Amino acid sequence: VGGAACSLLGIYSYQRWLKNWTYRGLLLMTNLVYSCLCIIDLIMYKRLNVRWGIPDHAFVLSTGSMETIVQYWWWMPAVVILSQLCPRGMEATMYALLAGCSNLGSSINANLGAVVLQYLHVAPNASNNESAQFDNLWVASALSTALPLSTLFLLPWLIPDARQTDKLLEDGDRSATSGSLLKRWNSRGSSQSPRGDIIG
């Protein structure tokens, strides 16, 4: 029930306040907010909240709820930009591609996370007195905080600097690769002669 309520809150807050943001601005904000939530997890893993007198369940409920809301803030602009760039008649295929890429990323994320935990010797097995198994858990949490921020450097090249309400393609141009980085590279190369001289 709590997860469903947070999902509805995420959709409502996006529709109410975030739908007019630029793609870059919203993705920048969501990554920063998510990293801040991961820092809260880091506080819990270091047991600082216990020293401050704050129970664990307060951290778990608050961060879990906010993470669900932030995930919808990230998911909605992805759906919007895909619908803007979708070739006519391929809407279902493009949405399935988006869902498939998201699921593939989640699977890779889970498996790489398991490898990192194994490398850090975080492998509890429900035995007694195994608190030492969690000594390096904060390192994994710090990695989950820093890695999402690395994607921000790619925003200027991969995401258009436009509002989510702007039309990205002209009515007659429904190519999914229009204006892409690869197409711009190819057009730049085709405008040069074999000797490197600019044609025209």
Side-chain angles (χ1 to χ4, degrees), residues 116-196:
V116 170
L117 290 177
Q118 190 71 27
Y119 177 77
L120 295 174
H121 305 292
V122 180
N125 55 12
S127 302
N128 293 327
N129 301 319
E130 62 173 2
S131 299
Q133 292 288 335
F134 300 95
D135 287 346
N136 293 327
L137 187 58
W138 70 272
V139 179
S141 180
L143 287 174
S144 69
T145 301
L147 289 179
L149 297 177
S150 63
T151 61
L152 299 180
F153 297 102
L154 301 176
L155 288 181
W157 291 278
L158 300 180
I159 303 299
D161 188 19
R163 295 185 180 276
Q164 298 171 81
T165 53
D166 294 343
K167 182 180 292 187
L168 299 180
L169 298 177
E170 299 297 332
D171 291 334
D173 185 7
R174 298 301 298 175
S175 172
T177 60
S178 177
S180 67
L181 189 60
L182 180 60
K183 202 158 215 177
R184 281 180 280 170
W185 283 347
N186 289 338
S187 63
R188 187 178 304 170
S190 63
S191 65
Q192 296 180 354
S193 66
R195 294 182 179 180

Side-chain angles (χ1 to χ4, degrees), residues 48-118:
L48 297 177
N49 60 302
V50 176
R51 300 177 190 174
W52 300 339
I54 304 175
D56 289 339
H57 67 266
F59 274 81
V60 172
L61 290 176
S62 60
T63 57
S65 301
M66 283 302 301
E67 284 175 3
T68 301
I69 294 173
V70 172
Q71 285 172 0
Y72 274 89
W73 290 352
W74 170 86
W75 177 260
M76 294 302 293
V79 173
V80 171
I81 194 172
L82 195 62
S83 65
Q84 288 270 18
L85 301 177
C86 178
R88 197 178 306 278
M90 296 187 63
E91 291 82 2
T93 302
M94 294 296 285
Y95 187 80
L97 180 63
L98 173 63
C101 290
S102 177
N103 292 334
L104 177 62
S106 298
S107 298
I108 294 175
N109 176 43
N111 284 279
L112 289 180
V115 171
V116 170
L117 290 177
Q118 190 71 27

Side-chain angles (χ1 to χ4, degrees), residues 22-55:
T22 63
Y23 292 104
R24 292 181 186 176
L26 185 53
L27 290 175
L28 174 64
M29 185 271 290
T30 52
N31 274 275
L32 291 176
V33 171
Y34 187 80
S35 295
C36 290
L37 294 175
C38 291
I39 291 176
I40 295 177
D41 290 339
L42 184 61
I43 292 174
M44 184 179 68
Y45 296 146
K46 290 294 289 181
R47 312 306 295 152
L48 297 177
N49 60 302
V50 176
R51 300 177 190 174
W52 300 339
I54 304 175

